[in-house]
Amino acid sequence: MAPEMTTLKGQPLNRTAVDTLMRRRFFYTPTADIYGGVAGFYDFGPPGCALQANIVETWRKHFVLEEDMLEVDSPMITPFPVLKTSGHVERFCDFVAKDSENGEILRADHVVEEVLEARLKGDKEARGQKVEAAAEDGAADKKKKKKVKGKVEAIKLDDAVVQEYTEILAKIDNYDGPGLSELFEKYDIRNPNTGNKFKMPVYEQNLMFDVTIGGARLPAYLRPETAQGQFLNFSKLLEFNQQKMPFASAQIGKSGRNEIAPRSGLLRVREFLMAEIEHYVDPESGKKHTRFHEVEDVKINLLDGKVQLEGKTETTAITIGEGVRTGVIDNETVGYFMARIQLFMLRLGLDPAKIRFREHMENEMAHYARYCVDCELLTSYGWIECVGCADRSAYDLSCHTKATGVPLVVRETRQEPLTITEYVAETTKAKFGPRFKQDGKAVQSAIDQLTEEVKEKLSLELKDNGKITIAVPGVGDGKVELTSDLIKIEQQTRTEHTREFIPNVIEPSFGIGRIFYSLCEQVFWTREGAEERAVLSFPPAIAPTKVLLVPLSSNPDFKPMIAELTKKLRKHHLSSRVDDSGASIGKRYSRNDELGTPFGITVDFQSLKDNTITLRDRDSTDQVRATQDEILEALVKLVHGTETWSQVYERLPKFEGQELE
Amino acid sequence: MAPEMTTLKGQPLNRTAVDTLMRRRFFYTPTADIYGGVAGFYDFGPPGCALQANIVETWRKHFVLEEDMLEVDSPMITPFPVLKTSGHVERFCDFVAKDSENGEILRADHVVEEVLEARLKGDKEARGQKVEAAAEDGAADKKKKKKVKGKVEAIKLDDAVVQEYTEILAKIDNYDGPGLSELFEKYDIRNPNTGNKFKMPVYEQNLMFDVTIGGARLPAYLRPETAQGQFLNFSKLLEFNQQKMPFASAQIGKSGRNEIAPRSGLLRVREFLMAEIEHYVDPESGKKHTRFHEVEDVKINLLDGKVQLEGKTETTAITIGEGVRTGVIDNETVGYFMARIQLFMLRLGLDPAKIRFREHMENEMAHYARYCVDCELLTSYGWIECVGCADRSAYDLSCHTKATGVPLVVRETRQEPLTITEYVAETTKAKFGPRFKQDGKAVQSAIDQLTEEVKEKLSLELKDNGKITIAVPGVGDGKVELTSDLIKIEQQTRTEHTREFIPNVIEPSFGIGRIFYSLCEQVFWTREGAEERAVLSFPPAIAPTKVLLVPLSSNPDFKPMIAELTKKLRKHHLSSRVDDSGASIGKRYSRNDELGTPFGITVDFQSLKDNTITLRDRDSTDQVRATQDEILEALVKLVHGTETWSQVYERLPKFEGQELE
């Protein structure tokens, strides 16, 4: 089980307090909640929009601009053939189990987790151990969750059973359909909502929303990922990049997944913002990365796939360089992006102790991936996958090339022309067609599939006997005789001046909403001795609003200076918000601590006399007092990260004014 | 018919040239075009993404930040009840006509336009007048369009008929179903693709994409506008705004419209980016706007609704102030936004002569609007609606309040308490219920609907006769007798300290894709005497890339300075692109003129000696030469709009280097 979630001050995290704050201050709210809402859909309000925009903007700067990635924007509605080819129609599914009595459909792995975790909790209770406070869920799911929580019964388990359950939970993502069905049978896992058994075996259900287009009702889906819109444009992107390899494309956009029974608030939603990078590399390059040396020393926490298969969840702290050198990390390019992801998370203000990279186990990987490692963030829901970093190899580009006949390939002029000597089988068109008629295609296909070795053997046979026999399934008795007037097989030599290859793709794929929520939990804390005074300690660059402007009172004399400051801050691209309500200054600051506003400016009567204002730091509540220009200069540096608060506090005159409640 | 479209140099605009350029340079491409594409879906490539992002960013600064609007982000997938209440399920439809033979379904008004315009063209040909070059359409629609073009037959029409057709076309948007059906009959309008008649009458078809959510298959739609996501959150937004009125919310996001048969490329797509503002005003304020005086003098071209109903399309050039004073423009708030829209369009680089505001005619308005004026941009497709500015009155907030029972209202403390004296009818609960049983609700409802006047009359009657009779449809014989033990009707006086009202909404709604495409047509031109040398003259702030970096040759000695310049430009937030290909400098500049890159820097051997570089202006092709720092300083000013090219050209040393082809 995941470690208990604490705040950055080490306090136990109260999820309800976070969730209530976020809703009350309109970071987010269930979509259409005046209509009762629908699970898995959320709206962002003004601070949520600003926070999301800042995360996206940071992402764009950190990845797209830093590496000149080529951005693409394709629609959510995606024609059927695209997702048929990509394998999503057949394979983008979850295993579900159906209640044998009321027909309720639940996600199979989630049910197993829920039931076994409840039993382990019951065991702890029976042993008189401390049980974590049961986590509260979002409003939409409250009812169901309560029922489940009711199922925790204080029953002591055998030590061996505890061990078994723990190991199953550690590798829950690795079970396939039969494996899950077996768990249901073996451990008598029933629907926690009804107590009924499930119909077995579990089965797959597709997760895409389907729509139809126009009067002709063309079938289509809401895309489950933005990646396909990039792959389909590969050739145009390569041309735009003046045929240079390697390069990356990127897309920021919404996708849809028709989750079976979404709970866990913003962490499992049905429509969500993604940011995806497709980095195209030459497979013969060994997936080296030219900028790898820049990130070799970045430290990460890694949870190895093999460790998980042993039923354990211990992470190792290593540098990216070590990981790649020792082969724990698959290749340089994946390692490079893991390091860049780690740096991105730190830039957003996430706690390094609450970030880990978890390798996928064999059965867990998506159908298109040959290797995958997730960046997971610790929350009160446990470790949550927020970024998937997959090696999709040549899977997608090959599939689409095959399905459309349009080659999604790279053609490179060879430094040295390549001389190839090989056996070539050529049929005599004029005779071949009339001889085989409708079977011609099948025979030709069988010829095309002959290996070099076989062709060499047949070439000799043809020379010796004037005829050969090849296997052609479905034609005659499955064997076809070819005489030398119908086919020639000879060794030929040709020179290739260009090399053609399908690139491999390394894909870091970010769930922005999950990062958003995990960040909010990780920067939440409460003032000592005042649980109701919550703070969201976003880094200044990420905070929704940078500066709160507080006139001492609603006295109209303060208005001109507040207006002037607003204008000046806007000119420096620093977002600000005025609170000229009647509440005390302390209360007004507190309200904005909840919004994560890092700095506050107070305008008082002295300001009107000598043009000085006070600047307050959200986290320490320390204040300095200086002229407007000095404060503005400090603010620009603080938000751009070129100066820290302690440096500002050191060099500007301290202000000891009280924060009156 | 719309005036002929010309470039900003007065050349006739060749739509094919624009479209070919935009696709070739990957501004956009049909979605999934390697699969043959689907009409009405487009992907944006890297320059298209950057252009779109710059338009959105400019929009956000011009509207959202300038007026502290509250941003919201809600999902595209919208539960059924929301759009049922808003009226979209019943009324968000187009009139369509069905081919009587092959069942093809076409948009009725578009068919009428197409057929009548073809006849007018045929008439012009017959009269030997110049006929505009037939416009080419996007690939997806080429086939159909060609057929239609084939239908233009040189047949002279009576002058009266020409007049009739012209008048019909001027008010085509004002016809309702019966009106359209009548046109089909009267003018024998047939399917231009088949020559068949249509089944009459025309009928309505809903334009929303429907989806279902989860295992329970809850009905939902892809939203047709972002507005509803704002209205549903009205109370939360008002609270976030500390209960202050008026204020505005805004949303930037994608919407879907399942268009019947989309043609016209980016101008009519099925999934598109919108930017919508909902400005909430007190209906008793007369829709005044406090910043109206700032925009009074902004000049616009206005096409009056009444003028169109007369079958004419002449615009009047007026200031917004005049428009509101004379009542041509409905109210100050609408006028304020019209002016702000005009200023926004100018900021994007649109030509004031190719912007007009067209008032909606009565039948044309969306079901929720009581007044509407569109900002239209001139393109080769004619005048295109790019912004709708509607007065939605209290329509949406009232509907949702009624449907959910959640009051979406403003409550204001009255400056002076309001004393209200009125007749109040109170029933005696204990006797009323048993007396009327299941009819109780109907009787109570009839009582609640009594007017003040009637209540006064009944009060006297009750006093005089001890009983009254009121009409209750559906109960007994439709009349019910109430005795004074069942009801009391008396005059009462109460004092109201708060005022409660549903705000009215003024909504400027922007189609970003349409603005994008119209802008590209309006800034496109070709160098004199060199039709193949196309230029897109985006203003520097809007251009996808700001600076092209050109080393004189691929000599590696230039690389360090190019890298240094890239880094410096990035630090100043100026996007740049390097072209170090083997092509001549002139060719490289030309290629980037096509991308609309406003400035080019050349690094040559002299640069390596004295650190000077040249700066080239896209539009004039003039160049200056100065030190790196001087050029960078000029670039920052040019892109931020604080200096013009002619000022830079005046003050820095001219460079007379040739642009070699």
Side-chain angles (χ1 to χ4, degrees):
Chain A
M1 269 182 281
E4 203 188 345
M5 178 69 181
T6 54
T7 72
L8 46 84
K9 304 286 175 189
Q11 307 152 318
L13 183 87
N14 178 341
R15 187 198 297 162
T16 309
V18 181
D19 190 56
T20 308
L21 163 63
M22 306 301 284
R23 289 164 189 250
R24 184 164 44 81
R25 303 313 306 272
F26 203 8
F27 277 82
Y28 57 79
T29 184
T31 296
D33 71 341
I34 63 170
Y35 283 87
V38 176
F41 292 97
Y42 287 88
D43 293 355
F44 291 103
C49 273
L51 178 59
Q52 179 179 267
N54 293 343
I55 293 173
V56 168
E57 196 46 38
T58 304
W59 189 87
R60 190 175 261 132
K61 274 188 198 142
H62 187 81
F63 293 102
V64 179
L65 299 183
E66 182 63 32
E67 305 188 28
D68 290 326
M69 292 175 179
L70 304 184
E71 218 171 321
V72 167
D73 181 14
S74 61
M76 256 181 106
I77 299 174
T78 305
F80 173 86
V82 173
L83 294 159
K84 173 75 183 164
T85 301
S86 70
H88 286 86
V89 173
E90 263 85 38
R91 301 172 68 180
F92 191 70
C93 303
D94 273 346
F95 286 106
V96 295
K98 192 173 189 172
D99 185 298
S100 56
E101 307 278 328
N102 72 358
E104 189 182 8
I105 291 167
L106 295 174
R107 222 179 113 165
D109 56 344
H110 286 185
V111 171
V112 174
E113 274 184 304
E114 204 167 279
V115 171
L116 297 191
E117 280 179 356
R119 289 184 194 167
L120 286 174
K121 268 185 201 164
D123 171 71
K124 272 193 171 178
E125 264 180 44
R127 291 171 192 244
Q129 293 171 357
K130 180 179 166 272
V131 178
E132 295 162 41
E136 268 284 349
D137 231 327
D141 310 309
K142 230 174 232 175
K143 235 167 88 193
K144 187 181 284 176
K145 192 75 181 182
K146 281 226 173 102
K147 274 197 203 157
V148 178
K149 282 188 290 177
K151 297 296 282 186
V152 176
E153 290 171 57
I155 298 173
K156 190 175 176 303
L157 306 171
D158 281 352
D159 287 358
V161 173
V162 170
Q163 175 72 8
E164 244 176 284
Y165 285 1
T166 308
E167 286 177 16
I168 290 166
L169 289 172
K171 58 183 173 188
I172 186 70
D173 292 329
N174 198 46
Y175 288 93
D176 58 6
L180 283 168
S181 296
E182 204 188 312
L183 293 178
F184 277 85
E185 308 274 10
K186 185 166 174 194
Y187 299 105
D188 187 30
I189 288 171
R190 294 165 180 243
N191 186 343
N193 305 322
T194 63
N196 301 331
K197 285 203 164 212
F198 287 104
K199 275 189 202 158
M200 281 295 117
V202 302
Y203 62 97
E204 287 185 299
Q205 190 161 304
N206 194 284
L207 293 179
M208 293 191 292
F209 285 103
D210 51 307
V211 292
T212 58
I213 304 169
R217 300 192 69 76
L218 293 176
Y221 295 100
L222 299 189
R223 64 180 174 199
E225 54 172 13
T226 72
Q228 299 302 327
Q230 300 179 58
F231 299 141
L232 298 186
N233 286 311
F234 174 73
S235 298
K236 294 192 186 80
L237 290 163
L238 180 63
E239 196 195 325
F240 190 83
N241 206 44
Q242 303 182 311
Q243 308 293 338
K244 279 183 202 158
M245 283 282 292
F247 75 98
S249 61
Q251 180 162 200
I252 301 167
K254 290 201 175 164
S255 294
R257 291 190 193 180
N258 201 357
E259 298 281 356
I260 313 293
R263 286 172 296 162
S264 1
L266 282 192
L267 294 178
R268 192 166 291 279
V269 293
R270 285 165 158 157
E271 186 180 322
F272 48 92
L273 189 63
M274 300 182 91
E276 294 191 301
I277 294 164
E278 311 299 332
H279 181 86
Y280 308 95
V281 294
D282 182 344
E284 289 186 8
S285 70
K287 303 185 184 173
K288 296 273 176 209
H289 198 290
T290 52
R291 296 179 69 173
F292 187 71
H293 63 279
E294 294 177 30
V295 299
E296 269 183 309
D297 296 333
V298 173
K299 270 211 176 119
I300 59 156
N301 300 313
L302 186 71
L303 172 54
D304 199 315
K306 289 185 228 73
V307 170
Q308 292 164 76
L309 284 175
E310 289 164 13
K312 295 179 197 148
T313 56
E314 279 79 32
T315 59
T316 325
I318 53 166
T319 67
I320 290 292
E322 271 169 67
V324 171
R325 267 193 303 283
T326 57
V328 189
I329 294 171
D330 192 66
N331 62 65
E332 270 194 8
T333 302
V334 164
Y336 175 76
F337 280 112
M338 286 168 71
R340 296 285 302 157
I341 291 164
Q342 174 84 14
L343 295 173
F344 171 67
M345 293 301 180
L346 297 178
R347 203 163 159 179
L348 292 185
L350 288 146
D351 178 350
K354 291 172 185 151
I355 307 172
R356 77 173 185 190
F357 286 83
R358 187 177 71 78
E359 274 190 332
H360 276 211
M361 295 164 280
E362 193 63 31
N363 284 334
E364 184 187 357
M365 264 179 293
H367 63 272
Y368 47 72
R370 60 159 287 282
Y371 176 80
C372 189
V373 57
D374 287 342
C375 174
E376 299 186 328
L377 302 176
L378 187 62
T379 71
S380 65
Y381 294 91
W383 286 102
I384 297 298
E385 172 201 347
C386 290
V387 188
C389 193
D391 183 343
R392 294 178 81 131
S393 68
Y395 176 79
D396 303 271
L397 297 179
S398 304
C399 290
H400 290 302
T401 295
K402 210 168 151 191
T404 61
V406 179
L408 302 176
V409 298
V410 177
R411 289 193 187 89
E412 273 183 359
T413 305
R414 291 185 181 278
Q415 303 272 356
E416 303 271 311
L418 183 71
T419 303
I420 301 166
T421 301
E422 62 183 3
Y423 283 91
V424 175
E426 271 173 305
T427 55
T428 320
K429 291 284 168 291
K431 291 193 175 176
F432 187 86
R435 163 73 185 79
F436 292 108
K437 301 197 179 74
Q438 76 275 23
D439 292 333
K441 227 172 159 177
V443 179
Q444 184 64 56
S445 164
I447 295 169
D448 292 345
Q449 282 169 42
L450 297 173
T451 63
E452 189 63 13
E453 205 179 344
V454 173
K455 274 190 271 191
E456 183 178 359
K457 212 184 90 221
L458 292 176
S459 154
L460 294 173
E461 223 175 292
L462 197 60
K463 214 173 281 170
D464 293 350
N465 310 338
K467 63 178 184 186
I468 53 171
T469 303
I470 65 167
V472 185
V475 173
D477 61 352
K479 284 182 180 173
V480 166
E481 195 184 79
L482 292 161
T483 47
S484 48
D485 58 331
L486 288 167
I487 192 165
K488 277 198 177 69
I489 306 183
E490 281 163 3
Q491 205 173 36
Q492 292 181 4
T493 297
R494 63 195 165 83
T495 309
E496 267 189 16
H497 294 273
T498 57
R499 179 181 156 234
E500 190 177 289
F501 64 90
I502 298 187
N504 277 16
V505 174
I506 310 292
E507 175 196 79
S509 164
F510 297 70
I512 300 296
R514 289 184 169 193
I515 296 173
F516 175 113
Y517 180 79
S518 306
L519 176 63
C520 291
E521 273 203 3
Q522 290 198 10
V523 299
F524 175 95
W525 56 286
T526 53
R527 302 266 181 221
E528 219 188 301
E531 226 178 274
E532 75 293 352
R533 290 184 60 194
V535 185
L536 290 170
S537 284
F538 299 114
I542 306 299
T545 304
K546 312 306 180 200
V547 187
L548 171 73
L549 292 168
V550 182
L552 185 68
S553 71
S554 58
N555 189 319
D557 290 352
F558 297 127
K559 280 203 191 319
M561 189 176 282
I562 293 287
E564 187 191 342
L565 282 165
T566 303
K567 212 169 160 182
K568 282 184 183 167
L569 288 165
R570 188 176 289 155
K571 215 184 133 197
H572 284 99
H573 304 290
L574 299 178
S575 59
S576 65
R577 199 172 134 86
V578 179
D579 187 345
D580 54 5
S581 70
S584 72
I585 290 200
K587 193 152 260 164
R588 283 185 273 168
Y589 275 137
S590 256
R591 280 206 294 238
N592 282 277
D593 290 346
E594 287 187 343
L595 290 174
T597 310
F599 305 109
I601 286 176
T602 308
V603 171
D604 55 20
F605 289 108
Q606 195 183 327
S607 310
L608 302 182
K609 274 181 236 154
D610 65 5
N611 210 28
T612 63
I613 51 182
T614 72
L615 180 66
R616 177 224 191 222
D617 172 55
R618 172 198 61 206
D619 294 350
S620 62
T621 73
D622 286 337
Q623 297 188 52
V624 293
R625 178 160 205 128
T627 64
Q628 274 200 31
D629 287 348
E630 286 169 320
I631 296 290
L632 281 171
E633 193 209 333
L635 273 172
V636 169
K637 288 183 176 169
L638 285 164
V639 172
H640 290 176
T642 53
E643 198 172 19
T644 64
W645 173 255
S646 46
Q647 289 168 321
V648 171
Y649 193 61
E650 197 63 29
R651 68 175 175 81
L652 291 181
K654 290 170 198 34
F655 177 68
E656 308 287 357
Q658 282 273 303
E659 280 196 15
L660 302 168
E661 281 312 299
Chain B
M1 271 183 281
E4 203 187 348
M5 179 68 181
T6 54
T7 72
L8 46 86
K9 305 286 176 189
Q11 308 151 320
L13 183 88
N14 178 342
R15 186 198 299 162
T16 310
V18 180
D19 190 56
T20 308
L21 163 63
M22 305 302 284
R23 287 165 190 249
R24 185 164 43 80
R25 304 312 307 272
F26 204 6
F27 277 83
Y28 58 79
T29 184
T31 295
D33 70 341
I34 64 170
Y35 282 87
V38 176
F41 292 96
Y42 288 88
D43 292 356
F44 291 103
C49 273
L51 178 59
Q52 179 179 267
N54 293 343
I55 293 173
V56 168
E57 197 44 39
T58 304
W59 189 87
R60 190 176 259 130
K61 274 188 199 143
H62 187 82
F63 292 103
V64 179
L65 299 183
E66 181 63 31
E67 304 188 28
D68 290 325
M69 293 175 179
L70 305 183
E71 219 171 321
V72 167
D73 181 14
S74 62
M76 255 181 106
I77 299 175
T78 305
F80 173 86
V82 174
L83 293 158
K84 172 76 184 164
T85 301
S86 70
H88 286 85
V89 173
E90 263 86 38
R91 302 173 67 180
F92 191 69
C93 303
D94 273 348
F95 287 106
V96 295
K98 193 174 191 172
D99 185 300
S100 57
E101 306 279 328
N102 72 357
E104 188 183 8
I105 291 168
L106 295 172
R107 221 180 113 165
D109 56 343
H110 286 186
V111 171
V112 173
E113 273 184 304
E114 206 169 278
V115 171
L116 297 192
E117 279 179 358
R119 288 183 194 167
L120 286 175
K121 269 185 200 164
D123 171 71
K124 271 194 173 179
E125 264 181 44
R127 290 172 192 242
Q129 294 169 356
K130 180 177 166 276
V131 178
E132 295 161 41
E136 270 282 348
D137 232 326
D141 311 309
K142 229 175 233 176
K143 236 166 86 194
K144 187 181 284 177
K145 193 73 183 184
K146 281 230 172 96
K147 273 198 203 157
V148 178
K149 284 189 290 179
K151 298 295 284 184
V152 176
E153 291 170 56
I155 297 173
K156 190 174 176 305
L157 306 170
D158 282 350
D159 288 358
V161 172
V162 170
Q163 175 72 10
E164 246 174 286
Y165 285 2
T166 309
E167 286 178 14
I168 290 167
L169 290 171
K171 58 183 174 188
I172 186 70
D173 293 328
N174 198 45
Y175 288 93
D176 57 6
L180 283 168
S181 297
E182 202 189 312
L183 292 178
F184 276 84
E185 308 274 11
K186 184 165 174 192
Y187 298 105
D188 188 32
I189 288 170
R190 293 163 182 247
N191 185 343
N193 305 322
T194 61
N196 302 330
K197 286 203 163 211
F198 287 103
K199 274 189 202 157
M200 282 294 117
V202 302
Y203 62 96
E204 286 184 299
Q205 190 161 303
N206 194 284
L207 293 180
M208 293 191 290
F209 285 103
D210 51 305
V211 291
T212 59
I213 303 168
R217 300 192 68 75
L218 293 177
Y221 295 100
L222 299 190
R223 64 179 174 201
E225 55 171 12
T226 72
Q228 299 302 326
Q230 300 178 58
F231 298 141
L232 298 186
N233 286 310
F234 174 74
S235 297
K236 293 192 187 79
L237 289 164
L238 180 64
E239 195 194 326
F240 190 83
N241 206 46
Q242 303 181 311
Q243 309 293 338
K244 279 183 201 158
M245 282 282 293
F247 74 99
S249 61
Q251 180 163 197
I252 301 168
K254 289 200 176 166
S255 294
R257 291 189 193 182
N258 201 356
E259 298 282 354
I260 311 295
R263 288 173 295 162
S264 354
L266 283 191
L267 295 178
R268 192 166 290 280
V269 293
R270 285 166 159 157
E271 186 180 323
F272 48 92
L273 189 63
M274 301 181 92
E276 295 191 301
I277 294 164
E278 312 298 331
H279 181 86
Y280 309 94
V281 294
D282 182 342
E284 288 187 10
S285 69
K287 302 183 185 174
K288 296 273 176 207
H289 197 289
T290 51
R291 296 179 68 172
F292 186 71
H293 63 278
E294 294 178 28
V295 299
E296 269 183 309
D297 296 333
V298 173
K299 271 213 173 117
I300 59 156
N301 299 313
L302 186 71
L303 173 53
D304 198 315
K306 287 184 229 76
V307 171
Q308 293 163 76
L309 284 175
E310 288 164 13
K312 295 179 198 149
T313 56
E314 280 79 33
T315 59
T316 324
I318 53 165
T319 66
I320 289 291
E322 273 169 64
V324 172
R325 267 194 302 281
T326 57
V328 189
I329 295 169
D330 193 65
N331 62 64
E332 270 194 9
T333 301
V334 165
Y336 175 76
F337 280 112
M338 287 167 69
R340 295 286 301 157
I341 292 165
Q342 172 83 13
L343 295 173
F344 171 67
M345 293 300 179
L346 297 178
R347 202 163 159 179
L348 293 185
L350 289 146
D351 178 350
K354 291 171 185 151
I355 307 171
R356 77 173 186 190
F357 287 83
R358 187 177 71 76
E359 273 190 333
H360 276 212
M361 295 164 279
E362 193 64 29
N363 284 335
E364 185 188 356
M365 265 179 291
H367 63 271
Y368 48 72
R370 60 159 287 282
Y371 176 80
C372 188
V373 57
D374 288 342
C375 174
E376 298 186 328
L377 302 176
L378 188 62
T379 72
S380 65
Y381 294 90
W383 286 102
I384 297 298
E385 173 200 346
C386 290
V387 188
C389 193
D391 182 343
R392 295 178 79 132
S393 68
Y395 176 80
D396 303 271
L397 296 178
S398 304
C399 290
H400 290 302
T401 296
K402 210 169 153 191
T404 61
V406 178
L408 302 176
V409 298
V410 177
R411 288 194 187 87
E412 272 182 359
T413 305
R414 291 185 182 279
Q415 302 273 358
E416 305 270 313
L418 184 70
T419 304
I420 300 166
T421 302
E422 61 183 3
Y423 282 92
V424 176
E426 272 172 304
T427 55
T428 320
K429 292 283 168 292
K431 294 193 176 177
F432 188 85
R435 164 73 184 81
F436 292 109
K437 300 198 179 76
Q438 76 274 23
D439 293 333
K441 226 173 161 179
V443 179
Q444 183 64 55
S445 163
I447 294 170
D448 292 345
Q449 282 169 41
L450 297 172
T451 62
E452 189 64 12
E453 203 179 346
V454 172
K455 276 190 271 191
E456 183 178 356
K457 213 183 90 225
L458 292 176
S459 155
L460 293 173
E461 222 175 295
L462 196 61
K463 215 173 284 171
D464 292 352
N465 311 336
K467 63 178 185 186
I468 53 171
T469 305
I470 65 167
V472 185
V475 174
D477 61 351
K479 284 181 181 173
V480 166
E481 196 184 79
L482 293 161
T483 46
S484 48
D485 59 331
L486 288 167
I487 193 166
K488 277 202 178 68
I489 305 183
E490 280 163 4
Q491 205 173 37
Q492 293 181 3
T493 296
R494 64 194 165 83
T495 308
E496 266 188 17
H497 294 274
T498 58
R499 179 183 154 230
E500 190 177 289
F501 64 90
I502 298 187
N504 277 15
V505 174
I506 309 291
E507 175 196 78
S509 164
F510 297 70
I512 300 296
R514 289 184 168 193
I515 295 172
F516 176 113
Y517 180 80
S518 307
L519 175 63
C520 292
E521 273 204 1
Q522 291 198 10
V523 300
F524 175 95
W525 55 286
T526 53
R527 301 266 182 221
E528 218 188 302
E531 225 178 276
E532 75 292 352
R533 291 183 60 195
V535 184
L536 290 171
S537 284
F538 298 114
I542 305 301
T545 304
K546 311 306 181 201
V547 187
L548 171 72
L549 292 168
V550 183
L552 186 68
S553 71
S554 58
N555 189 317
D557 290 351
F558 296 128
K559 278 205 193 319
M561 189 176 283
I562 292 287
E564 187 191 342
L565 282 164
T566 302
K567 212 169 161 182
K568 283 185 182 166
L569 288 166
R570 189 176 288 154
K571 216 184 132 198
H572 285 99
H573 304 290
L574 299 178
S575 59
S576 65
R577 200 172 132 87
V578 179
D579 188 346
D580 54 6
S581 70
S584 72
I585 291 201
K587 191 152 260 164
R588 283 184 273 167
Y589 274 138
S590 257
R591 279 207 293 239
N592 282 277
D593 290 346
E594 287 187 343
L595 290 174
T597 312
F599 306 108
I601 285 176
T602 308
V603 171
D604 54 21
F605 289 107
Q606 195 184 328
S607 310
L608 303 182
K609 275 181 238 155
D610 66 4
N611 209 27
T612 63
I613 51 181
T614 72
L615 181 65
R616 176 217 190 231
D617 172 55
R618 172 197 61 206
D619 294 349
S620 63
T621 74
D622 286 338
Q623 297 188 51
V624 293
R625 178 161 206 127
T627 65
Q628 274 199 31
D629 286 348
E630 286 169 322
I631 296 291
L632 281 171
E633 192 208 334
L635 273 172
V636 169
K637 288 184 177 168
L638 285 163
V639 172
H640 290 176
T642 53
E643 198 172 20
T644 64
W645 173 255
S646 46
Q647 289 168 321
V648 171
Y649 193 61
E650 196 64 27
R651 68 177 175 81
L652 290 180
K654 289 168 198 36
F655 177 67
E656 306 288 354
Q658 280 274 302
E659 280 194 16
L660 302 167
E661 282 313 298

